[in-house]
Every structure is written in C-alpha cells, then in structure tokens.
Amino acid sequence: MKRPTILVLGAGYGGLTTVVNLQKLVGADDADIILVNKNDYHYESTWLHEASAGTLRPDQVRYDVKDVINSSKVKFVQATVDAIDVNTKKIATSAGEFTYDYLVIGLGFEGETFGITGLDKYALSIANVNAARQIRDHIEYQFATWSTEEVRDDARLTIVVGGAGFSGIEFLGELGNRIPELCKEYDVPKEKVRVVCVEAAPMVLPGFDPALVEYAVRQLESKGIEFSIGTPVVEATPEGVNIKKGEDEFEFIKAGTVVWAAGVRGNRLIESSGIENMRARVKVEKDMRAPGFPDVFIVGDCALMINEEVNRPYPPTAQIAMQQAVTIAKNIVALIKGNETEEFVPALKGTVCSLGEHDAIGDVMGKKITGTKASIMKKVIDNRALYMIGGVPLLLKKGKFTL
Amino acid sequence: MKRPTILVLGAGYGGLTTVVNLQKLVGADDADIILVNKNDYHYESTWLHEASAGTLRPDQVRYDVKDVINSSKVKFVQATVDAIDVNTKKIATSAGEFTYDYLVIGLGFEGETFGITGLDKYALSIANVNAARQIRDHIEYQFATWSTEEVRDDARLTIVVGGAGFSGIEFLGELGNRIPELCKEYDVPKEKVRVVCVEAAPMVLPGFDPALVEYAVRQLESKGIEFSIGTPVVEATPEGVNIKKGEDEFEFIKAGTVVWAAGVRGNRLIESSGIENMRARVKVEKDMRAPGFPDVFIVGDCALMINEEVNRPYPPTAQIAMQQAVTIAKNIVALIKGNETEEFVPALKGTVCSLGEHDAIGDVMGKKITGTKASIMKKVIDNRALYMIGGVPLLLKKGKFTL
C-alpha cells in the first residue's frame, strides 16, 4: 500500500505545531509529510507589535523552520501557495504542483480594510515580519527626516494607529516605551510627537473586563497616547487620515505614519478553494475538518469555531491554533489507522494584553491581573509557545527572560 | 580696561580646537570666550560616511561640547548663526545678537550641487550627523519596503553615489561591508542590490597615487560596486539619475537612493559677511586672518590656502583645520598682548582614505600603504583628532580601538 502524503500549508503556530506533533506520532515509513511555507522561517505573529515599534529586532521574533522539524521525517518546501483546489486535490505553488491524501491549511490571517478608501495604499499593516520591519523603519525614517529638514513638518512625528483592539493596544504599548528612546536617538523634543489611536467602535478592547480596559487606557494616556473612540476612519491619504466625529463632522489628522491594526480575516486563497467559507474563514467540524472534505483540516486563523457558551467565535489566537494543531495531528494518525477522530475542545487558559515591556492586563484562569504580574504572565505565554513547538532548545534560544 | 570678547562660531574641528587651545592659554580674567554652535554636540565630520552607511551609530560619531570645554572660561551658546556682518561687528543668531573683539569663523562646509537639476531635492547628502542618519534610515527603509511589496521594484535596492572623490570612496567602502549585512537583515538576495558610483571627472580620487587608486577601485569592485567614470550626472529625479555617457548619449539609472558626495564649498553666510570670498571660502592671510579685517580669523573649510609647492589649494581636511586652530588661538593671545602674530605652516602628515573597516589606502610621510596597515593608520588619525580636542578621557570614550 502506498504511503499517504500529508501536506501542511503554512508554518505559523497552527501548521508548525501540526508538523512537530505529526513527526512524533508518525514513523518515517508510515507517511510522507510535506510542509510548504513562503519563508524558511517561522515568525511569532503575536510578537509583531514589538518588531513594528522597534522594541524587538526582526531576527528576535523569528526562527528557522529547519531548527524544529525532523528532516528525516518531514520534507520542507520553501514556496508560495498560489491556489488551493480541494475538489481536484491540486495545490499550485511557486515550486510546482502538489497533491495530498491529507491536507492541513494553516495559512494565517490577512488584514481587513473594510473597503475604506486609501487604507491599502497609504496605511502600513502589522501583517508579517517584513511588514513589521517596514513600520519600524518608516517611523525611524520620519524622525530622521524631521531632524534634517530646514522647514520642519511636525506631522512627520504623528503616528495614527487605527484600531483599539488587541493588536492596536499592544502596538501602542510598545510605542509608549519606544517614543522616548526615538526622541533621544533622533534629537526630537518629546512634545513634538503625537500618537493617536482611532477606533470606530465605541469601546477599547471589546470583550475585556471594563476595569482592566480602564487601567490600560490610563496607562497608555500617561505615556502621552491620545484616544479617539467611536470615530471611524473614512479615508486615508498620503497626508494622513480623515475621521468621522459626528453626523456631518469630520476631522483630518495629518500624520507621517498610519498603521492599520483593526480587523483580520482569513487567507484569500480559501475563497477560491472550493470550501464553504465566510470572509476566508471556514466553520470547521468538531474534529477540525472542512465541511464536506473529510481529508482537509483547517487550523488557526482560517478556522472559525463558535464558543457556544457565549455564542461568539473563539478569537484567532496562537494558543487556540496550537491546541487545534495537536488534535489535528492525532486525528490524521487516527484516519490513517482507520480509527475515529476526536473532537477538539479548547482549553482557554486566559488572555493577556501587553502594554509595553513591563506592563500588561490579563484575565488568566478567571483572575484579573495588571502591571508587572500580568507582564510576567505574558512572557510565560510567549515562552510556552516556543516550548510547545521547539522544546527546551528553542526556548533557550528565543525565549523572553528579562522580567 | 574692558576684557576682550573672543567669539567663536562653530564647534567643528576648527572652532572647537580653537576654543580648547584658548582655554589653556587665556586666564579666566583675561578674556570672555563665547562659543556658538547649532547643536550641543560636536560631530566627527570625517566619520559621517560610516554613520551614513550604518556601520557606526550616530551617537558614536558625536560627543557633547560641554565634555571638552572648561565652563569656567568658556560660555557655550547653543544657537544657529543667521548672519555675519564684519563691518558692523554684529553677529545675528537664534539666541540674539553678539558682538566681538576677535571673531573666529569655523562654520564648515556645505554641499555643492553645481546647479544640477533636482539634486538638491532628490539626492541625499552626507552633510552632517542628522543627514547621515537619514541616509542610513532611507536605505534601510528601501530594503524593508522591497521585502514587503507584492510587486517588487528592484530599483529600490539600487544606490547611486555621485562622486568618486574622498567622501564618495569612503562611503562606498562602508557600503561594500554593509550591503551583505543588510541583505541578511532584510532577506534580500545579494545579487538584487546594485551600487553604482557616478563621477564626472575622468578619474577616481584625483590627487592620489595612481597605484593606490587602482588598488581602491579593484577592492571596491570585488565587493560588487560598479564605477561609471567620466559620466556627469545631468539630472536627478524622484526615480533616479540621468547621466551623460557621450556627446548625445544619456543613460537613466533608476535608483531608490541617490547620495551626492561630490564637491563641497564654504558656508553661505560668508558670502554676505562683507569678507571677500570665492564660493564662500576666504583666501586668508598667512596668519589666518581675513584680508582687510585684522580681528577676524577663518578656520577650516571656509578658509582657502594655496599650497605653493603644487600651486593648488590645500584640501579641506580635519587635520589642517585643527593645525590652523592651534595657530589662531596663539595669534589671538598675541594680539591681546600686543605682540606679533605668527604664520600658519601646515605639517602634512599624510592622507588615508578608508575602504571599509579593515581596508584603506594611504600616503603617509611619503610612504604608500594599503590594506590592514593603512586601515590601522586611519584609526590612529581618527583617534588623534579626539585626543587633540578632548585629551585621554575623550579618546577612551569615543576612540576606535578595534583593529
């Protein structure tokens, strides 16, 4: 009998955790495991706010895929996936066509601009490690240019962050720490810099405990960050953003940097894959398979699962992606052996939102925590992700140990 | 009798060396010494090619003025000089008007664009520490942007350096070392990067020994740097530069970065000062005074002195500026005491042109040197400038000791 081919698309939290679990469960002769990823590295998408603000270097937020896979069991292909067709079982990539017996789609999120004019062109997005690096360099270039120009345009020093959700707030937390450093490095008076968070919804961090949210806003405001809440961005231009402040009231914020951190969606390849989806996310079966395609699993940001307790989707977090991956690896092995698959049951350990290196808010095992305690917990969570994928060696190499 | 006021404009090599020598020679009750400088720091203008390429951090190429002046003898004023009038003895600055009994003008060089269209707008210039920082950040931003864009514009990775004189070659030497690092940091394939040196004159490093020049060009070419010699830049645009290759033959080089390193002139304030000048440089008397103004001394890049041996002006180097400053300090003291001034006699110790951290060419005490030996000599020269201005403490703080 021919060995089955397990094809995993994407080396994010979901895809990579699937592979490292498969390589433990499957013998080298039992299956061909192929991992396809655009880059030869994995990056910590939950750390990108730090790389974007410049508080971590890009190389600190990524590691080589080959450092965590067992190359005697897994074939790694560095390629971009161009198209997925689950009806013909054909996957088109920049390194040629692949087919599979079992497919795992872990292609991650894309930014969602909600059709707002100019955003895709004039706003930067914390989308991946390259984009994060560009945001850092863009801000630094604005500061450098301000320092040299004869007629100084203070708007160069204005940073608009669109979105007061998880990504926006974590990025603002890093900026709050980074701005004073930048001012020193570039000889810029602190009072010239303006950081404005613009949010369409009437609240910051929806879903978080209101007392924790209040703490977060107070801490960020104490670092000089301004909030404009309930004021949607209606347009981005090369000069800044136009926001809607009332029925017929608009305000233009001139800004050298606009970072869009509001809303993510699934990978667009899902939409033409033949799988039923909603904005590129697939409402998966209880065992993580795509409805109607018993040989296709979806992991991470492209998977949509409803938390029935609150009747809302689970948030697309690294924590859940990695838990899903463990179940998916087991279920593939079960299918190969002709056994029953098991149901995925998320174990929600809590959520911590960073507010910069030494501050955070968190809801962990039902306990509300703030400040240093929450910040330590955040690092524990970050380190746990490293440990789950690469064990102690990766943890020692890439872990966050400054508390 | 009223104490005379000695006003020194500029804290470059010339101005600052004048002040540190004056504070040794003059008692606190003998004169008021005022130093006016735009920034509260001195920067090593001979190290700017390193800051521009990113091989030294901006803070490594500068130090605080207050670290080297004796504040009981020297009053430091951080201000921009707006106008000099030697007929009325009025110096207008952003901190008000000053007058003087003795004036020392050490306002340094400005870039010379020879009226070439677009250069002032679209080319960056290694003019000062802020400009150097901007060049570094500009190049990094181009690399970062290339890494993120969907349709990659390889011209972003092309750097045109205008000028194959001292500044241009030293900058190219640093780029030769920095580009491989940048490629690694930004995931850019080395072969995508293009560095082109464009020079109007028919030769590289005019005035240098031809064998040394040949060595320099070979070394830089081995690092992938291209030379286009005898081909003037006729226009700069937002997209790159147009160069003249023959009678009616032009070539457009598309480039994300254009750095203009060809030609310097004196500070433009000289031109409206009332002193006779040629392109803002003053042909000084033998004792460094401005012709017709016995209370005005010119030091450094704004001073023009003919080397009668070769009937050509001395090059505007840090070495000569500091030697001039020593003579100027002595001559001011002589004038206060009613004594004769002395003639300035340059002691040319040699010239070393860096080709990156571990390589250089030099003509030192009549000996031609290359490679590591020349590179060590270059660091000795750089360290000597620190020692002459700030003694051992400054040398230890800012010296270059990695050989």
Side-chain angles (χ1 to χ4, degrees), chain A residues 3-56:
Chain A
R3 282 185 303 195
T5 296
I6 307 168
L7 182 62
V8 180
L9 306 181
Y13 293 108
L16 203 51
T17 306
T18 303
V19 167
V20 298
N21 277 276
L22 278 173
Q23 71 190 10
K24 283 179 206 153
L25 299 173
V26 175
D29 297 327
D30 297 337
D32 290 326
I33 305 171
I34 302 171
L35 171 63
V36 179
N37 195 54
K38 190 175 173 179
N39 308 301
D40 58 2
Y41 55 82
H42 162 90
Y43 58 83
E44 305 287 345
S45 56
T46 62
W47 303 11
L48 291 179
H49 58 287
E50 292 158 279
S52 300
T55 46
L56 283 182

Side-chain angles (χ1 to χ4, degrees), chain B residues 210-237:
Chain B
L212 291 179
V213 172
E214 203 197 308
Y215 174 89
V217 171
R218 204 171 53 232
Q219 292 292 88
L220 293 175
E221 282 180 339
S222 78
K223 290 179 178 176
I225 291 161
E226 303 167 41
F227 285 87
S228 178
I229 302 301
T231 53
V233 170
V234 291
E235 190 189 6
T237 77

